[in-house]
Amino acid sequence: MASSQITHVSLFVAGVEPANTGSISCLLKNGFQPLDPAPDWEGTVYYAGERI
């Protein structure tokens, strides 16, 4: 998110399976929040983070 090549991007979204606790922990520590805590029809939860 800090790359100078993507300074025009303000919203980042990552899809993670609920069992992937390592990735979820990393996203939460970096300010991402779930868009909806319930998994979608494929079993994925999406997390969004905005550039500060």
Side-chain angles (χ1 to χ4, degrees):
M1 290 174 53
S3 172
S4 63
Q5 296 178 339
I6 56 171
T7 56
H8 62 284
V9 179
S10 60
L11 179 65
F12 297 84
V13 178
V16 183
E17 293 179 357
N20 191 341
T21 57
S23 290
I24 293 169
S25 177
C26 182
L27 289 169
L28 293 174
K29 286 180 183 177
N30 285 284
F32 283 67
Q33 293 298 315
L35 295 173
D36 182 348
D40 69 1
W41 62 277
E42 291 182 310
T44 302
V45 176
Y46 292 90
Y47 292 78
E50 292 187 66
R51 183 186 306 279
I52 299 173

